[in-house]
Amino acid sequence: MDTQTFITRYRAAFGEAAPLPLVFFYSDAQTAGTEKIPGCFLRYLHQAMDGKPVCLGTENITCGGGKFYAGFTPMPDHVPIFVSQKEKYKETPELIKEYLGTMGPVPANKKYLNFVRADQAGSFEGMEGLLFLASPDVISGLCAWAFFDRNDPETVSLVFGSGCSSIVANAVRENRAEGFRTFIGLTDPSARQWFDKDIFSFVIPACRFRTMEQTMDRCCFNDTAGWKKIRDRINIVRRTVPDWAEEMNCAITVCDRNGVILYMNAKSRETYIKHGNLIGKNLMDCHSDRSKSIIRDLLETGGQNVYTIEKDGIRKMIYQSAWKENGKVMGLCEISVILPEEIPHCRRD
C-alpha cells in the first residue's frame, strides 16, 4: 500500500480529526537539519506532527538513554542504577539488567533516525514502523484492527520501558524477528510529561503492517454501529459547528489541538480556494516559524490573538481564539472579517 492510499483509507476509518501517524526509519544520510533540544528526544515528535521532518543522531540526542534505545550507543553504565534508584521504576538494578538482556534495543545499522508525518513520506519502503500519537478512542480502533486476524494475546503488547524504548526499540526488535506484535506506549511517567494527558502511543512495526494493511477494509471500520459511534466522537467538532456559520459574511476556520483543519465555512473555503481542499490538512504546513510559535502558545495557554492586516487594498481583522470543551483546550478557531473603509466607534460610558 502506498502512503496516499493508506491516508485515504485511514481518513475513511477514523475521520479528518484523527492525527496522521509518523513514519520512522533509519538512514545513512542526514534528511533534515534538526536543532539540538536538551532532554528527552520524544520532544521532537511535536515538530514531526506539525509537519516538520525530524532527523536524529548522536549529535542532537542529548539523553544517554535516548541514544541507547535508538540503537546508537551501548548502554551507559549508570542506567540500571538511575532507573532503579532515581526514577524508581524497578526494585533493583539487577532487574533492569535482566530486562535489557531480553528486551534491550537492537544496535542501529545506520547513522540517523528519522520521523516524518505520513502525508510527507514518499513511501513506506525501509520504515521501521508507524507511530500513532492518539487519544484512547483512536487507540481502541487501532487495537481492534490489530486483533482482527489474530488471537495471540501478545498481538497488542504493553511492556515495561522508557518512552523511546516503547516506540523505537520495540519496533526495531520486532522487525528483526519478523514478529507480529504491535505496541502501546507512553505509559512511562518520565515521557508522559511531554504529551497531553489523553495521548498514548501505538506502534505498528513494518513487519506487522504488511499484514494489517490487507485487513483495514475488512475489520470493524467497515459499517459497524459500534465503531461509527466512536468515529463520530473522535470527530465531534465537525458535528457541533452550527449550520448558521456556513453562510456568514466572514471566514471561519477551525482546527484541532494538533493543527489539523476540521472545518471551513463557505467564506473560508472561497478565501483559500487556490490551495484546494484543506480539510484534514495541517495548518502548520502553511505558516512561518513565527506564526507556528503563536499557534502553539494559543493552544498551550487557551488565549487569543487579535490583529489587522492589509493586502491588495483590502483590510481585515483576524481574531484567533482557543476553543474548549469542559474547560479543556481542544483547538483553535480563526475568524477573518473584511473591514470597511470607515468604522464607527461608539463610546458608551
Side-chain angles (χ1 to χ4, degrees), residues 40 49 64 70 77 84 99 183 210 213 239 261 264 329 332:
C40 179
M49 292 295 287
D77 293 337
S84 173
Y99 167 80
F183 299 94
R210 289 193 290 270
E213 66 178 355
R239 296 188 291 109
I261 298 173
M264 300 173 74
V329 174
L332 293 179

Side-chain angles (χ1 to χ4, degrees), residues 176-319:
R176 301 303 180 267
E178 285 292 327
F180 60 86
R181 293 185 297 174
T182 59
F183 299 94
I184 292 177
L186 291 187
T187 60
D188 169 27
S190 297
R192 287 208 60 75
Q193 63 182 298
W194 306 116
F195 297 87
D196 288 345
K197 62 182 180 181
D198 61 347
I199 295 296
F200 288 89
S201 67
F202 190 95
V203 171
I204 305 177
C207 59
R208 178 62 172 136
F209 182 68
R210 289 193 290 270
T211 303
M212 287 179 61
E213 66 178 355
Q214 301 172 27
T215 64
M216 193 173 191
D217 293 338
R218 294 189 282 121
C219 69
C220 68
F221 302 150
N222 184 22
D223 194 28
T224 63
W227 179 248
K228 182 180 183 303
K229 291 180 180 178
I230 301 303
R231 185 187 187 280
D232 286 347
R233 190 162 69 184
I234 293 170
N235 294 271
I236 189 170
V237 67
R238 296 184 60 79
R239 296 188 291 109
T240 56
V241 174
D243 291 339
W244 51 257
E246 174 64 11
E247 298 186 41
M248 287 281 288
N249 288 323
C250 58
I252 302 175
T253 308
V254 180
C255 75
D256 69 7
R257 283 175 298 178
N258 296 307
V260 175
I261 298 173
L262 305 176
Y263 173 84
M264 300 173 74
N265 73 345
K267 195 72 173 178
S268 178
R269 297 194 300 273
E270 177 187 339
T271 301
Y272 299 103
I273 192 171
K274 69 178 182 180
H275 300 291
N277 181 16
L278 294 179
I279 301 297
K281 305 294 185 182
N282 197 299
L283 57 81
M284 293 291 191
D285 294 343
C286 55
H287 283 79
S288 66
D289 289 341
R290 178 179 178 277
S291 295
K292 290 178 183 178
S293 176
I294 293 172
I295 291 169
R296 292 192 187 99
D297 181 68
L298 295 177
L299 289 170
E300 290 176 4
T301 65
Q304 63 184 26
N305 182 41
V306 184
Y307 60 94
T308 61
I309 61 173
E310 182 172 339
K311 184 177 181 180
D312 298 328
I314 299 175
R315 297 189 305 154
K316 294 182 180 180
M317 182 186 75
I318 309 297
Y319 180 86

Side-chain angles (χ1 to χ4, degrees), residues 107-129:
N109 56 7
K110 296 182 179 180
K111 293 180 60 176
Y112 298 101
L113 174 63
N114 306 276
F115 292 88
V116 181
R117 204 172 62 201
D119 59 337
Q120 298 179 329
S123 72
F124 292 129
E125 184 177 355
M127 79 169 181
E128 295 292 345

